[in-house]
Amino acid sequence: MTREERIEKLKALSKERILVLDGAMGTMIQGYKLTEADYRGELLKDHASDVKGDNELISLAQPDILREIHLKYYRAGADFAETNTFGATSIAQADYHLEHLAYQMNVESARIAREAADIAESETPGRVCFVAGVLGPTNRTASISPKVNDPGFRNVNFDQLVESYKEATKGLIEGGADTILVETIFDTLNAKAALFAIEEVFDELGFELPIMISGTITDMSGRLLSGQTPEAFWNSVRHVKPFSIGLNCALGAKEMRPHVATLSRIADAGVSAHPNAGLPNEMGEYDQDAAQMSALVGEFAKSGLVNIVGGCCGTTPEHIHAIAEAVKGATPRAKPEIEPRLRLSGLEAFTAA
């Protein structure tokens, strides 16, 4: 099946049932207890900086492990594998002095996810599995100063973000991604740079992939770190006509629900939710088990709030299997008809009368 055929199948399936994203990548990689040497592999055996913890390197140094993780999620019932590229931008990889590997990380991560998808499809004839090419938020913010005493200072600008995101997007597409997922968005300006980059790449290549967008409500304030409410955030990004808009990370399903409900009411795109396995405990670990989490996410489906569900930090194939079972047979949310109005966004949304 060609990528074009898979995209058409994705659009058709989204009208028939709730789709399922995979779960946490970092949680799974931690389970392998990899050493510094494991992260380096042969490629970086003489690299001057420590690289343990650079999970995006797994795509290059331990491809068999990455393929196995993706397969575990597909076999658990996930429709999508998210590529192991959360930090695979030249900006984020600068922390390890590995900017030169960012493009290769994206290509290989998407390619390995596609290999796992092909294996999962062969195990269940007639099944179609998708690869979501992930663009993470980077470790810098275009909206907030990292210097308390200098609020006007920025350690990255829009053009730098665009250039880095363009490189990553091209790599994901070359590797075989079916969609581009801009996720864990804490700064809307970073996200707009990513979306600008994606559209420039589409223009250059002469074709488009579905765009998925997922923001992060960072705490109980109900706002992104850069200050926007979910409705203002949607007003800021809706111009790209995404396949889906949603939320992930920072919150558990219980805490995320009211914000998902807001997006469900106002967005004329699919709505996604992939929360953490509850809130972290005092040790930074996640205690919500598969049964507890799937009951909460299953209620999202029964209430007609979502089109796509999955898991973020602390989730495992067991969580995803339970979630997939919980939403099986549920009718996907019907997209509302939104009246054309002038809709603007600062920190708050504004709709002209």
Side-chain angles (χ1 to χ4, degrees):
M1 183 178 287
T2 66
R3 178 157 47 193
E4 291 74 18
E5 290 170 332
R6 287 196 301 273
I7 291 171
E8 289 306 309
K9 182 64 173 178
L10 172 62
K11 292 176 181 177
L13 281 177
S14 70
K15 298 175 183 177
E16 298 171 9
R17 61 178 177 83
I18 292 174
L19 300 172
V20 181
L21 285 162
D22 60 7
M25 177 60 69
T27 299
M28 296 297 289
I29 291 174
Q30 288 171 13
Y32 287 87
K33 303 187 184 306
L34 301 178
T35 65
E36 175 73 21
D38 294 326
Y39 276 90
R40 287 174 175 269
E42 283 298 306
L43 180 67
L44 295 174
K45 62 181 182 180
D46 297 321
H47 188 62
S49 302
D50 290 344
V51 296
K52 184 178 179 181
D54 185 1
N55 285 343
E56 289 69 31
L57 267 177
I58 301 304
S59 308
L60 306 179
Q62 302 293 335
D64 292 342
I65 288 176
L66 181 58
R67 188 181 303 105
E68 183 175 77
I69 291 171
H70 286 316
L71 268 172
K72 287 178 179 179
Y73 279 122
Y74 279 133
R75 288 167 176 163
D79 294 298
F80 293 92
E82 298 173 68
T83 56
N84 180 38
T85 51
F86 183 84
T89 56
S90 56
I91 289 173
Q93 285 300 314
D95 283 358
Y96 299 96
H97 305 289
L98 294 176
E99 302 95 318
H100 61 290
L101 293 181
Y103 185 82
Q104 187 181 352
M105 287 175 175
N106 283 279
V107 173
E108 289 303 304
S109 184
R111 184 186 63 78
I112 293 165
R114 185 68 248 163
E115 286 180 356
D118 291 342
I119 294 170
E121 289 175 352
S122 70
E123 293 173 345
T124 307
R127 184 183 183 192
V128 183
C129 297
F130 307 100
V131 174
V134 167
L135 296 178
T138 81
N139 52 359
R140 300 191 179 193
T141 167
S143 294
I144 303 170
S145 173
K147 295 184 178 181
V148 175
N149 296 323
D150 187 359
F153 177 79
R154 299 291 184 270
N155 59 6
V156 71
N157 63 44
F158 189 86
D159 290 342
Q160 290 169 332
L161 286 164
V162 168
E163 203 58 36
S164 188
Y165 278 129
K166 282 186 70 173
E167 178 185 46
T169 301
K170 289 177 180 178
L172 291 170
I173 293 173
E174 181 181 330
D178 301 306
T179 70
I180 303 296
L181 169 57
V182 184
E183 64 141 305
T184 319
I185 298 163
F186 60 82
D187 182 345
T188 307
L189 190 54
N190 283 40
K192 288 175 78 70
L195 296 171
F196 185 85
I198 291 167
E199 292 194 309
E200 282 207 335
V201 172
F202 289 170
D203 286 344
E204 291 174 11
L205 296 178
F207 65 88
E208 298 182 0
L209 303 183
I211 298 173
M212 305 169 74
I213 301 172
S214 185
T216 294
I217 303 298
T218 51
D219 55 34
M220 294 310 199
S221 70
R223 296 173 182 267
L224 276 68
L225 185 64
S226 55
Q228 284 193 312
T229 64
E231 185 172 1
F233 173 59
W234 167 240
N235 284 359
S236 295
V237 300
R238 67 189 301 271
H239 63 281
V240 301
K241 297 180 172 59
F243 176 72
S244 65
I245 179 74
L247 298 171
N248 75 290
C249 206
L251 303 179
K254 179 181 178 182
E255 296 79 19
M256 186 181 286
R257 190 192 188 283
H259 311 304
V260 173
T262 295
L263 290 176
S264 181
R265 175 177 53 81
I266 64 175
D268 53 0
V271 167
S272 67
H274 47 302
N276 293 343
L279 296 177
N281 61 28
E282 61 274 9
M283 301 300 293
E285 298 173 342
Y286 296 87
D287 299 324
Q288 200 169 74
D289 64 27
Q292 293 167 327
M293 184 175 181
S294 63
L296 293 166
V297 175
E299 187 274 326
F300 290 10
K302 293 180 178 66
S303 297
L305 300 181
V306 290
N307 304 91
I308 304 170
V309 294
C312 201
C313 301
T315 59
T316 64
E318 289 73 24
H319 290 83
I320 297 306
H321 177 72
I323 288 170
E325 290 296 312
V327 303
K328 187 177 292 184
T331 302
R333 160 188 166 272
K335 298 175 189 175
E337 290 289 334
I338 304 298
E339 179 187 5
R341 302 278 287 277
L342 175 63
R343 302 176 193 277
L344 305 176
S345 59
L347 298 184
E348 311 279 344
F350 172 80
T351 302

